[in-house]
Amino acid sequence: MALERTLSIVKPDGVQKNLIGEVCRRFESAGLSIVAARMRHLTLAEAEGFYAVHKARPFYNDLCKYMTSGPVFVQVLEGEGAVARNREIMGATDPKKADTGTIRADLAASIEENVVHGSDSAENAAQEIAYFFSVTELYPRTR
Ligand code: CMP
């Protein structure tokens, strides 16, 4: 499997519930390394830009508003097959459909307040990482 990077966001509900450490613990325990991280309170324009791919979806406005409702914790994860691995650890978008033992099944309240975001492909991961971090802010452990 290839060494990859992916973007993870602990969403406002996760930050509010003091789950940053728990989420990071799950990633690190699964062999992913955190190579960049920062806390941000997104502006509406930043949230809209980040989720632009969902612009036509009925939940877009509520999602963007929700993502600006409090600070988020944005991080870059690195590891073998990191995009898919992160998605396995998060579980399905809807916590009711997520497998037991995943972040969303264990910790999420609803499809909107679902604790974490994770990139859904290597291509989107590269774009999403660049949205929040410059190359000089990444600190790989694996080289
Ligand atoms: P995320 O992985 O951040 O990507 C888009 C987000 O939209 C998703 O997680 C959900 O939190 C949110 N969302 C709200 N309603 C829906 C829905 N009906 N289907 C998919 N995503 C939704």
Side-chain angles (χ1 to χ4, degrees):
M1 220 182 294
L3 185 69
E4 292 178 343
R5 288 176 184 159
T6 190
L7 187 86
S8 167
I9 303 178
V10 182
K11 296 183 176 185
D13 60 307
V15 173
Q16 186 61 35
K17 289 184 199 159
N18 254 356
L19 292 173
I20 295 172
E22 173 61 18
V23 168
C24 293
R25 184 193 67 73
R26 288 179 185 229
F27 292 147
E28 292 187 329
S29 298
L32 296 175
S33 298
I34 297 163
V35 300
R38 75 159 56 97
M39 213 149 174
R40 290 285 317 279
H41 195 143
L42 301 181
T43 64
L44 188 57
E46 286 171 333
E48 286 173 348
F50 182 75
Y51 280 120
V53 65
H54 295 305
K55 206 172 171 56
R57 308 288 289 274
F59 55 82
Y60 176 71
N61 286 339
D62 284 346
L63 172 64
C64 293
K65 210 167 128 196
Y66 159 65
M67 287 299 285
T68 65
S69 65
V72 296
F73 186 78
V74 191
Q75 60 189 323
V76 179
L77 306 175
E78 185 180 80
E80 296 293 320
V83 174
R85 191 79 194 95
N86 179 35
R87 293 181 70 74
E88 282 167 20
I89 298 164
M90 289 192 299
T93 306
D94 183 350
K96 284 187 243 134
K97 295 179 186 159
D99 291 337
T100 307
T102 62
I103 290 172
R104 285 163 170 164
D106 293 353
L107 307 170
S110 69
I111 195 166
E112 181 170 84
E113 299 195 9
N114 63 355
V115 183
V116 277
H117 166 82
S119 309
D120 64 3
S121 66
E123 193 186 6
N124 285 343
Q127 283 178 16
E128 292 183 359
I129 290 168
Y131 196 79
F132 287 108
F133 297 97
S134 61
V135 174
T136 53
E137 293 175 303
L138 307 178
Y139 297 91
R141 243 166 240 80
T142 42
R143 313 183 180 138

